[in-house]
């Protein structure tokens, strides 16, 4: 029994020695691997590389728009009176010259009658002046009256003729206003607005409901063809050329699309918004679109400019230096190249000078990298955070703020954060 116990103890001791020896070997190798990785990182830090992407062959933008009738005429009162009757309601189709409404104007009618009587009176005075002048001329051969008296009567005749002419024009003027008692449709179209009812008191200044504001009586629009008005940003203005089309949708008909054709542009920017008013036309033969609709306009235009797109995480900023990007040379050394940013986007920037699609660009370059440093290229693992999270406390020297000044005070701003130094 004692002999068996001694053998068992020896085996256990041998196993423990082997386990300890294996542990020491594993620990040594792990330490050597860690030391090697640390040394390599210190000598050649690992980096991931990306390639700048060429800009898209087209430029797209989505803008809000307003749809209006090809013609829209708002009719206002030219005379004061009461609405006698309206003949067209909302949505009625009308022809040019159709009666929309009638206005009762008793005071204008009385003024017209007075003007007519005044004209008759002035004509009677003219006839009297004419007869008087003729009789005084008849006395000239006998020298019964002086030439001065004859001249006075002749000029009184001419003055009375002018008074008759003025009274006649006064009657014509009132007759013209009487014509405004009937509201007529200016062209073929549809009634899209009616703001009157029978009995309303209307005038040039407004209606009974809005006495202090000018209110139109009717609005008639042509909707077989529509105009689309949009405000186009300054950078997209150069793409507005004849032949450009836009895809249009409206919220009330989300599954339908219309093609709008470019008509004209204001060729001047609003100094407050830096946008230009552009007009497109829409064929609306089925009359599905209505004036006043809000439209979602998708514009796509071809572009031809030598530029590339890189993520903002690849930007490098050094104090008192221009914006840079870290590019690898053929021997995997860092070269900081100055770049020119032409367009700022959400998570990327457009670079117009300094980079090409063949460059090997370091993504998330550590802030410790310097010009000429040797680096080691690695492939990011799945889940690798390509753009590091913003640190809770940022050092002012590690922030990048670029202000691009344009004409008339245009400003663009881009902010990029430096990459934290990789943990050792």
């Amino acid at each position: 029994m004692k002999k068996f116990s001694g053998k068992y103890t020896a085996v256990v001791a041998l196993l423990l020695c082997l386990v300890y020896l294996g542990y020491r070997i594993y620990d040594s190798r792990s330490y050597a691997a860690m030391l090697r990785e640390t040394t390599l990182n210190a000598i050649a830090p690992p980096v991931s590389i990306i390639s700048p992407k060429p800009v898209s062959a087209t430029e797209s933008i989505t803008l809000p728009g307003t749809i209006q009738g090809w013609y829209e005429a708002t009719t206002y009162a030219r005379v004061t009176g009461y609405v006698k009757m309206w003949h067209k309601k909302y949505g009625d189709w009308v022809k040019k010259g159709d009666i929309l409404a009638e206005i009762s104007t008793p005071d204008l009618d009385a003024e017209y009658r007075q003007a007519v009587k005044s004209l008759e009176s002035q004509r009677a005075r003219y006839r009297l002046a004419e007869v008087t002048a003729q009789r005084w001329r008849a006395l000239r051969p006998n020298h019964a009256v002086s030439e001065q008296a004859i001249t006075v009567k002749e000029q009184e005749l001419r003055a009375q003729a002018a008074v008759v002419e003025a009274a006649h024009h006064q009657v014509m003027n009132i007759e013209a206003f009487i014509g405004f008692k009937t509201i007529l449709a200016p062209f073929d179209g549809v009634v899209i607005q009616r703001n009157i009812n029978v009995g309303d008191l209307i005038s040039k200044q407004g209606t009974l409901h809005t006495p202090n504001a000018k209110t139109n009586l009717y609005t008639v629009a042509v909707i077989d063809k529509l105009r689309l008005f949009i405000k186009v940003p300054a950078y997209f203005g150069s793409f507005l050329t004849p032949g450009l089309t836009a895809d249009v949708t409206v919220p009330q008909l989300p599954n339908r699309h219309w093609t709008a054709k470019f008509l004209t542009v204001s060729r001047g920017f609003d100094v407050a918004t830096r946008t230009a008013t552009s007009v497109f036309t829409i064929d609306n033969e089925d009359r599905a679109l209505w004036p006043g609709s809000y439209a979602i306009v998708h514009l796509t235009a071809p572009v031809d400019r030598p530029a590339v797109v890189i993520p903002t995480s690849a930007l490098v900023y050094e104090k008192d230096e221009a914006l840079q990007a870290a590019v690898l040379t053929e021997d995997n050394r860092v070269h900081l190249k100055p770049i020119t940013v032409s367009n700022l986007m959400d998570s990327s920037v457009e670079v117009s000078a300094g980079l090409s699609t063949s460059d090997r660009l370091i993504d998330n370059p550590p802030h410790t990298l310097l010009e000429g440093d040797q680096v080691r290229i690695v492939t990011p693992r799945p889940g690798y955070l390509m753009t590091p999270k913003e640190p809770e406390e940022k050092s002012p020297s590690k922030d990048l703020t670029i202000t691009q000044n344009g004409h008339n005070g245009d400003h663009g701003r881009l902010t990029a954060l430096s990459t934290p130094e990789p943990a050792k």
Side-chain angles (χ1 to χ4, degrees):
M1 186 67 179
K2 292 181 179 180
K3 185 177 180 180
F4 175 77
S5 177
K7 290 181 179 181
Y8 178 76
T9 302
V11 171
V12 172
L14 180 60
L15 290 176
L16 290 175
C17 290
L18 292 175
V19 170
Y20 177 75
L21 181 59
Y23 169 76
R24 292 296 298 176
I25 294 173
Y26 171 78
D27 184 61
S28 298
R29 289 182 177 179
S30 298
Y31 179 77
M34 183 180 66
L35 182 61
R36 179 178 181 276
E37 182 178 358
T38 303
T39 303
L40 289 176
N41 288 339
I43 299 176
V47 296
S48 63
I49 62 172
I50 58 175
S51 296
K53 297 180 180 179
V55 295
S56 174
T58 59
E59 184 81 15
S60 298
I61 189 173
T62 300
L63 298 170
T66 301
I67 295 175
Q68 295 184 9
W70 185 250
Y71 297 122
E72 286 189 17
T74 54
T75 58
Y76 292 85
R78 293 283 288 133
V79 295
T80 298
Y82 296 92
V83 178
K84 180 180 179 180
M85 179 61 67
W86 56 264
H87 300 280
K88 299 297 180 181
K89 60 182 181 298
Y90 285 98
D92 281 353
W93 294 95
V94 296
K95 295 290 185 180
K96 181 179 180 179
D98 284 355
I99 298 177
L100 303 178
E102 296 177 81
I103 303 174
S104 176
T105 58
D107 52 347
L108 182 63
D109 296 340
E111 185 180 353
Y112 175 70
R113 291 192 295 269
Q114 180 183 0
V116 170
K117 294 302 180 182
S118 177
L119 175 60
E120 293 178 358
S121 174
Q122 297 301 332
R123 283 175 175 171
R125 292 176 181 272
Y126 173 77
R127 288 192 294 269
L128 176 60
E130 185 179 22
V131 171
T132 302
Q134 289 175 354
R135 289 176 177 175
W136 281 69
R137 290 194 198 100
L139 295 175
R140 177 178 289 162
N142 298 327
H143 302 284
V145 293
S146 65
E147 285 296 326
Q148 175 66 24
I150 295 174
T151 302
V152 168
K153 296 304 179 180
E154 290 177 345
Q155 296 305 318
E156 286 179 350
L157 176 61
R158 292 181 180 179
Q160 191 58 42
V163 172
V164 171
E165 187 71 15
H168 176 67
H169 283 291
Q170 178 66 21
V171 172
M172 293 177 61
N173 181 58
I174 298 177
E175 287 177 345
F177 275 98
I178 289 177
F180 290 114
K181 293 170 56 176
T182 303
I183 309 300
L184 304 178
F187 42 71
D188 297 354
V190 61
V191 175
I192 63 174
Q193 194 175 29
R194 176 180 64 82
N195 295 322
I196 57 173
N197 279 309
V198 175
D200 279 353
L201 174 62
I202 60 175
S203 67
K204 298 179 183 179
Q205 287 71 34
T207 67
L208 181 64
H209 303 293
T210 57
N212 298 322
K214 291 185 178 181
T215 304
N216 62 303
L217 310 182
Y218 277 91
T219 300
V220 179
V222 174
I223 65 173
D224 296 329
K225 192 174 184 179
L226 301 172
R227 299 178 194 265
L228 172 66
F229 292 83
I230 58 176
K231 299 286 189 178
V232 180
Y235 80 90
F236 206 86
S238 60
F239 302 130
L240 298 176
T241 56
L244 180 67
T245 60
D247 180 70
V248 180
T249 58
V250 292
Q252 62 268 29
L253 298 170
N255 296 325
R256 287 198 59 177
H257 291 257
W258 286 266
T259 299
K261 299 178 181 179
F262 174 75
L263 179 63
T264 186
V265 65
S266 61
R267 299 191 182 278
F269 295 111
D270 185 342
V271 296
T273 61
R274 295 295 186 269
T275 57
T277 300
S278 181
V279 186
F280 287 72
T281 62
I282 304 176
D283 291 329
N284 189 38
E285 295 180 357
D286 61 353
R287 299 166 179 172
L289 288 176
W290 295 353
S293 296
Y294 170 83
I296 303 171
V297 186
H298 304 276
L299 286 171
T300 301
V303 296
D304 183 16
R305 59 180 183 272
V308 295
V309 177
I310 63 173
T312 55
S313 58
L315 299 175
V316 177
Y317 175 74
E318 295 292 341
K319 188 176 181 180
D320 300 329
E321 295 289 342
L323 188 63
Q324 298 174 324
V327 179
L328 289 185
T329 61
E330 294 182 358
D331 57 351
N332 292 339
R333 292 188 178 274
V334 177
H335 174 48
L336 299 177
K337 297 181 66 174
I339 61 175
T340 301
V341 174
S342 58
N343 192 13
L344 311 175
M345 294 169 279
D346 293 336
S347 59
S348 59
V349 296
E350 186 178 290
V351 179
S352 59
L355 294 176
S356 66
T357 55
S358 61
D359 287 331
R360 296 186 300 166
L361 193 64
I362 299 177
D363 193 19
N364 291 309
H367 67 276
T368 55
L369 284 182
L370 299 176
E371 178 73 23
D373 283 355
Q374 184 78 36
V375 296
R376 183 164 49 92
I377 301 175
V378 297
T379 302
R381 297 189 302 270
Y384 179 75
L385 187 59
M386 298 301 294
T387 303
K389 295 183 178 179
E390 180 178 343
E392 295 181 359
E393 296 183 2
K394 300 183 294 182
S395 172
S397 63
K398 295 182 180 180
D399 291 343
L400 171 61
T401 302
I402 303 170
T403 302
Q404 293 184 331
N405 293 327
H407 295 292
N408 299 325
D410 285 340
H411 298 287
R413 173 158 292 184
L414 168 67
T415 301
L417 302 177
S418 60
T419 305
E421 185 177 357
K424 295 182 179 180

